[in-house]
Amino acid sequence: MAIYTNLYLLVFLPLVLILYQIIPQKHRWKILLCASYIMYFTFSKKLVLLLIGTAVFTHYISIWMEWIDIRSKQEQAEASDRKQKTEIKKGYQARKKGVLALGVLVLLGILFYVQYYNFFAENINKLAAHFSAAALPILDIAFPMGISFYTLEAIGYLADVYWNRIPAEKHLGKLALFLSFFPQIMEGPIARYSDTADQLYEGKPLNMGDLNAGFERILWGLFKKMIVSDRLATLTGELFNNYKDYHGVMIAVAAVTYTIQLYMEFSGSIDIVIGSGRLFGVKLPENFNQPFSAQSAAEFWRRWHMSLGTWFKNYLFYPVTVSAPVKKWNRYARKRYGKYVSMLGASAMALFPVWIATGLWHGAEWKYIFYGLYYFVILFIGVALEPFKEKRNQVLHIDPNAPWFKALRILKTWLIIFTGELFFNARGLKAGFIMFRNLFVDFHISDLWNGSFPETSLHTADYLAIAGGCIVVWIVGFLREHKVDLREKILSSRLPLKWAAYYALILAILIFGAYGAGYQAVDLIYAGF
Amino acid sequence: MDELLEILNDIDDSIDYENEKALIDDHLLDSFGIITLVSEIEERFDVEIDAAEMTPENFNSVEALWAMIQRLREN
């Protein structure tokens, strides 16, 4: 039961809303928990046990860490002098660190096993074949949907308890709800405990404001997904599956249309997720913020899949930044090579694990590792060139705020994004390189209209619907970028205008949405990660 | 405090640090600015910043940064 299906939108969601409202407030979170597990069961069957196991394990690890803190404080209070107090504190801190390490290793171990074991086994076997060494068995491992999302949430929660940013959740069921809230479980956004937990447990009564906002957001998500993304999937499927048949401008079309498809699909699904949460008064973190307005690759990643970026920043980038090796390097390099080189080295040490992890997080394939490294190199070059940008602007008399300069920077960022997505969606890394090479072979813009365009089930009307959908999404994004939130404006407008807007959206989805056998019923792309 | 302002201005002198309250939340200080800031603060104020301190609340304003430095010095 995916979140864009009629079963979810017209049966499951209304039923949960009714049950939620008729139950006393303090028990409402239990309805959300039951709904979450039922939903998870519909697509993962017995693997729901792994989700339950993760919740139980995370719960007891966090309680254990809190218990260590309590014991530490008790013993420190009984200590005779400051030195003894420090000793006790240090001892318990080391123990607490050990417990956190155990928690993180087990959670990552499970993720590694289900997601990456076969990938590593296959590659090790290829290597072992050269030395006639024994091969690792390739296993038939079932993939638990959403594991990449809930594992990160669980690790983030444990780290926050470890750093005393939040108290451990004493109720196992409540923690289980945080880790499994049904709209989020398939595609995120990856929430921090402090952002959503209280809202999930509050059992806030349904109200018209939240219901309207949620309903509007879900419609907006369906609009993006059904009018644009589901149609484009037909075209991108043809171009990427038969990539050897295409070259030049068609490869560019593949990269651009897949980027648009992915954005419409992923951000549209997140709209449905955030809208579903909002119906219950739960405000989930945003995942997109007009990513195509970014003027650099670094800014793009602050606007695209924001909850993943925030997670890596908080739980990988910052801890690495203040880790002993980076500090040691800084002290050493600063004296020998100066500030610039020391900063470059520290940036590389902090950036590299983040981007390798970002690549791997998407799946166990070389193309994803390449995708992570691609952004690592681009971001690192950006850091290295930063001090020279001001000088360049002075020498060339460039006003960095001039519209033409901003437009040029946006265009450059688009090229970086499109190239990245070409590899991301290629049928393997080798196919990615072939497509990239073919991009420069016989590049004729006239291929767009001289009959070379691939024959698919899409007709002129479909392309018009895609273009129309893109224009509407672009206008809404453009206005938001200029501080005009059309969604908020519609919500606060008078009843007739509000419903006129809703009906327009509903009609657009019903009339222009992609239905039937001619279209690919597209699965949620990020649910596969 | 002046020394801290000096460090911040060295990183990016286009920011009005005395009035800015959302250095992190508004992405005024990017990740690399933070790397430099952490290492400069540790060097000049002889403190150890660990991962637990890496929160927006500690880095959003010059006052918050100063309060964190004072707290770390006392420990």
Side-chain angles (χ1 to χ4, degrees), chain A residues 15-231:
Chain A
L15 211 62
V16 180
L17 278 166
I18 292 167
L19 284 171
Y20 176 90
Q21 185 65 6
I22 58 175
I23 279 226
Q25 186 165 1
K26 67 173 184 175
H27 297 300
R28 282 182 181 148
W29 67 267
K30 293 175 189 166
I31 292 293
L32 295 181
L33 177 63
C34 289
S36 300
Y37 274 98
I38 290 169
M39 172 132 167
Y40 194 79
F41 182 79
T42 62
F43 48 77
S44 277
K45 302 291 179 290
K46 65 181 179 192
L47 288 175
V48 73
L49 291 173
L50 189 62
L51 181 63
I52 296 173
T54 301
V56 173
F57 177 74
T58 308
H59 172 69
Y60 283 108
I61 289 287
S62 69
I63 296 282
W64 193 357
M65 286 195 289
E66 202 165 79
W67 177 84
I68 289 173
D69 267 350
I70 294 168
R71 287 291 303 158
S72 171
K73 277 184 192 139
Q74 280 171 349
E75 284 193 28
Q76 283 181 61
E78 290 161 9
S80 52
D81 57 34
R82 201 182 162 87
K83 196 180 161 206
Q84 198 186 0
K85 239 184 200 180
T86 315
E87 292 282 311
I88 293 168
K89 197 176 168 184
K90 265 190 181 168
Y92 275 105
Q93 193 57 32
R95 253 199 249 179
K96 193 178 172 191
K97 205 176 192 170
V99 175
L100 174 72
L102 170 75
V104 173
L105 283 176
V106 169
L107 290 171
L108 282 182
I110 297 168
L111 179 64
F112 178 86
Y113 177 71
V114 298
Q115 180 110 310
Y116 309 109
Y117 171 80
N118 279 341
F119 172 72
F120 281 96
E122 277 167 20
N123 283 290
I124 287 171
N125 289 350
K126 274 183 200 163
L127 203 68
H130 292 290
F131 307 102
S132 321
L136 289 168
I138 301 297
L139 306 174
D140 181 20
I141 303 169
F143 181 74
M145 200 74 95
I147 188 166
S148 316
F149 294 96
Y150 71 69
T151 301
L152 293 197
E153 285 189 341
I155 292 174
Y157 163 77
L158 288 180
D160 284 345
V161 172
Y162 172 78
W163 287 321
N164 294 326
R165 286 177 186 162
I166 51 165
E169 173 54 58
K170 308 297 178 299
H171 201 299
L172 170 60
K174 286 187 174 177
L175 183 67
L177 170 59
F178 165 69
L179 293 174
S180 66
F181 185 43
F182 66 88
Q184 275 174 287
I185 190 93
M186 280 174 92
E187 287 211 314
I190 301 157
R192 292 183 79 172
Y193 184 83
S194 51
D195 288 338
T196 57
D198 286 346
Q199 301 180 65
L200 289 170
Y201 309 152
E202 188 188 341
K204 188 180 169 191
L206 303 184
N207 66 71
M208 278 318 283
D210 285 334
L211 289 173
N212 274 333
F215 177 63
E216 185 190 292
R217 193 75 191 257
I218 291 172
L219 284 181
W220 183 232
L222 287 172
F223 178 88
K224 285 179 183 170
K225 182 166 163 45
M226 297 188 68
I227 294 181
V228 183
S229 175
D230 287 0
R231 275 200 176 81

Side-chain angles (χ1 to χ4, degrees), chain B residues 1-19:
Chain B
M1 190 85 126
D2 286 345
E3 203 174 354
L4 177 61
L5 278 171
E6 195 186 307
I7 298 172
L8 287 164
N9 278 315
D10 260 359
I11 294 169
D12 185 348
D13 58 7
S14 67
I15 300 169
D16 175 14
Y17 291 103
E18 287 179 50
N19 294 312

